[in-house]
Amino acid sequence: MPKKSLPCPQKKLEEISQQYGTPFYLYSEKEIHHRATLLRKAFDCFTGFQEFFAIKATPTPKIMELFRDYGFGMDASSIAELVLCEKLGITGENIMFSSNGTKPEEFRKAQEMGAIINVDDISLLDNLSASGCSFPELICFRINPGNKKTGNTIIGNPVDAKFGITLDQVIPAYKKAKALGAKRFGIHTMTGSNILDEHYFPETTTLLTDIAKELKSELDIDLEFINIGGGFGIPYREEEEELNIENIAKNIQKIFINAFPEHQPKLFMEIGRWLTGPTGWLISKVVSRKDIYKKYVVLDSSMADLMRPGMYNAYHHISIANDEKKTEIVDVVGSLCENNDKFAIDRELPVSKQGDLVVIHDTGAHGRAMGFNYNGKLRAQEILLRTDGTTQRIRRPETLEDYFSTLIF
Ligand SMILES: *Cc1c(COP(=O)(O)O)cnc(C)c1O
């Protein structure tokens, strides 16, 4: 089992911290390229395979640019994410627009950009028709398989999840879209996130290929693509293993060839976490140590920068960048006035002192992106560690001015 190491040698980390100040997110360009290459290689066996990077995981232009230059599309779910694409020159069917509770103006923006429209509910066809654009030629629905599939704590069990249409609604939904003028069709589902069971994804595929056959026999629809969503998990814990994505690709291919012996639809996915999670670290400094009923290591970041532990009880590995061999059991906490502002509880870590750098691992996805401003906390900057070893600030830290910019006195 691989030990999680620092993103770069300790001395270099100290230099970067001095140059930019803490806290900051650090991303490794080398690792991003590495994972993008692994994904592409594994799914090379499909013709027309396309990954749409889930923007919400890491909505930072420079990171998106790396994936754009890699030939990946983008999975957007809001106007802001569409505009991010627009600014990076990503348009047309390189964008999958998968939103829920979608308003007519959101559909309009997506349609103006030529994005693939993924509809979350039959009722939303009315908002789509009211967007002011003509009804899209290419349409896709998000399927919620209900009790045919299990989910997890991040997305919830499909039967309890707010997303998608039920299996019974599939035929009526596509029928209605056809009547409204749709001529090209795709299908989508996304039922779980951070899944480390490689069988999960072939199972998801079977679910969709079965529906595809039904759409063919009932409505004579030949699907252009099958989008199995995101959800590839990453080993947050040192004892967990990386997914074998080559096996996943091979097994999905078998299902495709079986289901469509003559002409296979394209395989799409919207991986977020798997691509950027392990390629980012939150670097903070120890502000103080506190010894009361328990021992606390207090950092200069807080759950406003990384809310996954507070929100989902998620585990993130933590390293202290010092040479200390002696360990202690501590809670690693931030400075928010919220008792769930804890990065780790009862964690055994090397004894740290004020000023030490603390590295929170696997925070590249759904990290900075989920940050918030509660308690007037300002969110951290983002730094890219380039392949050539140099660094670049790719997002500045928030300032008080940013915080006050919406206030009316
Ligand atoms: C969040 C999300 C993704 C990405 O999920 P990961 O678990 O990060 O891979 C993909 N598609 C949709 C529709 C999402 O909401």
Side-chain angles (χ1 to χ4, degrees), residues 51-57 75-77 96-100 118 142 154-155 163 188-190 192-195 227-233 269-276 365-366:
E51 151 68 4
F52 295 83
F53 174 64
I55 299 171
K56 78 172 193 282
D75 170 44
S77 60
M96 177 72 65
F97 185 62
S98 299
S99 79
N100 65 92
N118 186 18
R142 177 172 183 161
I154 296 176
I155 294 211
F163 304 110
H188 168 266
T189 194
M190 164 90 193
S193 192
N194 196 31
I195 306 289
N227 183 344
I228 62 168
F232 281 17
M269 47 179 77
E270 308 160 342
I271 304 298
R273 183 191 316 274
W274 188 91
L275 280 168
T276 52
H366 311 294

Side-chain angles (χ1 to χ4, degrees), residues 315-318 328-331 343-349:
Y315 178 93
H316 282 272
H317 188 76
I318 294 179
E328 59 182 350
I329 307 282
V330 292
D331 283 10
F343 295 114
I345 296 171
D346 297 330
R347 186 76 59 90
E348 183 177 1
L349 288 172

Side-chain angles (χ1 to χ4, degrees), residues 225-245:
F225 66 83
I226 290 187
N227 183 344
I228 62 168
F232 281 17
I234 56 169
Y236 284 102
R237 293 173 186 271
E238 285 195 314
E239 64 271 22
E240 287 170 339
E241 303 233 1
E242 281 274 4
L243 269 177
N244 186 332
I245 60 167

Side-chain angles (χ1 to χ4, degrees), residues 20 104 114 134 136 139 146 197 223 236 278 288 311 314:
Y20 298 100
S134 52
I139 200 113
D197 171 11
L223 291 176
Y236 284 102
S288 62
M311 184 171 176

Side-chain angles (χ1 to χ4, degrees), residues 292-311:
I292 48 170
Y293 303 107
K294 292 181 86 171
K295 265 188 192 171
Y296 296 95
V297 173
V298 189
L299 306 186
D300 60 1
S301 58
S302 71
M303 70 183 295
D305 289 308
L306 177 69
M307 77 187 299
R308 297 189 71 258
M311 184 171 176

